[in-house]
Amino acid sequence: GAVVSQHPSWVICKSGTSVKIECRSLDFQATTMFWYRQFPKQSLMLMATSNEGSKATYEQGVEKDKFLINHASLTLSTLTVTSAHPEDSSFYICSATSGSYEQFFGPGTRLTVL
Amino acid sequence: KNQVEQSPQSLIILEGKNCTLQCNYTVSPFSNLRWYKQDTGRGPVSLTIMTFSENTKSNGRYTATLDADTKQSSLHITASQLSDSASYICVVSAEAGTALIFGKGTTLSVSS
């Protein structure tokens, strides 16, 4: 199956700093990428939908100025958590699709904000 | 409101035993239903995807069923192994390429 990678796999940062997470589709072109957040023992919660070359669509309650999404190419989307706070600590997962109903998930990035 | 509900919330079984996980959904229109396995600290991995016209689909020891009339699905795991310990998530898509609707998952623990 198609492969989606994320980098870094985990990151620890100080409160107030910004963190960038990369999501790459390795062997296919992703017209759409999705960013999810997952808290312990909870299901994945969609944060935003990103289409290549256009602005991301954010879900209700997700601050677009805090979670900056850039989908610069058909194989790369980035999520930047700006001015991170401890409550932003979570497991961030991206998924990618080439337009079919198949979505491929990345391995996730564990963010810990001290 | 589009929802996906799973039961049981958690399950403990002995290695070698079979088990069945349930999923009920109210998503409309319906495009497809997926079962994912998520190991702790990892991203979900697809087990099966079924469209409206499919009633059953197998992937090794995993067999998923779908009843589109009653909007129910099940995932049957045969001859469980310790490595089957994970969260199993039922996910429904309303239309191709749209956001997925996730169930909260069933946490399966297989013990020796």
Side-chain angles (χ1 to χ4, degrees):
Chain A
V3 179
V4 175
S5 70
Q6 283 185 239
H7 178 80
S9 56
W10 59 270
V11 57
I12 301 173
C13 69
K14 293 181 178 180
S15 184
T17 61
S18 295
V19 175
K20 180 184 286 187
I21 302 171
E22 292 185 349
C23 176
R24 294 182 184 273
S25 57
L26 299 185
D27 51 3
F28 69 102
Q29 292 187 327
T31 52
T32 304
M33 288 184 169
F34 302 89
W35 284 97
Y36 297 87
R37 181 167 50 181
Q38 186 177 32
F39 293 104
K41 300 188 184 299
Q42 298 291 317
S43 188
L44 281 72
M45 294 174 55
L46 180 65
M47 299 175 66
T49 302
S50 163
N51 292 297
E52 186 266 339
S54 62
K55 292 183 178 180
T57 301
Y58 291 81
E59 294 299 299
Q60 190 173 12
V62 178
E63 299 176 56
K64 63 180 181 180
D65 294 329
K66 180 170 183 62
F67 298 99
L68 302 179
I69 293 174
N70 185 294
H71 194 158
S73 75
L74 287 172
T75 59
L76 173 65
S77 176
T78 60
L79 168 68
T80 301
V81 183
T82 62
S83 186
H85 291 285
E87 58 265 31
D88 297 324
S89 298
S90 187
F91 192 51
Y92 291 86
I93 304 174
C94 73
S95 71
T97 177
S98 59
S100 70
Y101 58 72
E102 181 72 82
Q103 275 195 32
F104 302 95
F105 287 85
T109 296
R110 173 73 59 193
L111 170 64
T112 301
V113 184
L114 302 177
Chain B
K1 181 179 179 182
N2 289 332
Q3 285 186 319
V4 176
E5 296 184 355
Q6 292 186 243
S7 63
Q9 184 176 2
S10 61
L11 182 63
I12 302 173
I13 61 173
L14 290 175
E15 185 179 14
K17 297 296 184 181
N18 304 334
C19 67
T20 300
L21 314 180
Q22 301 291 340
C23 174
N24 297 332
Y25 63 93
T26 58
V27 178
S28 182
F30 171 83
S31 174
N32 59 79
L33 184 145
R34 314 133 184 258
W35 283 95
Y36 287 91
K37 177 186 178 186
Q38 185 179 23
D39 292 311
T40 301
R42 304 292 295 172
V45 174
S46 179
L47 296 176
T48 63
I49 299 177
M50 289 183 292
T51 59
F52 183 90
S53 60
E54 296 176 291
N55 301 121
T56 183
K57 182 167 281 189
S58 292
N59 177 3
R61 294 180 297 103
Y62 301 102
T63 299
T65 65
L66 173 64
D67 186 333
D69 291 331
T70 61
K71 298 187 176 181
Q72 296 179 325
S73 176
S74 67
L75 180 69
H76 186 74
I77 304 175
T78 304
S80 61
Q81 300 175 358
L82 297 178
S83 58
D84 292 334
S85 296
S87 179
Y88 291 83
I89 307 171
C90 176
V91 184
V92 179
S93 175
E95 295 179 25
T98 62
L100 306 177
I101 302 165
F102 288 78
K104 292 185 177 181
T106 293
T107 300
L108 174 65
S109 298
V110 180
S111 59
S112 56

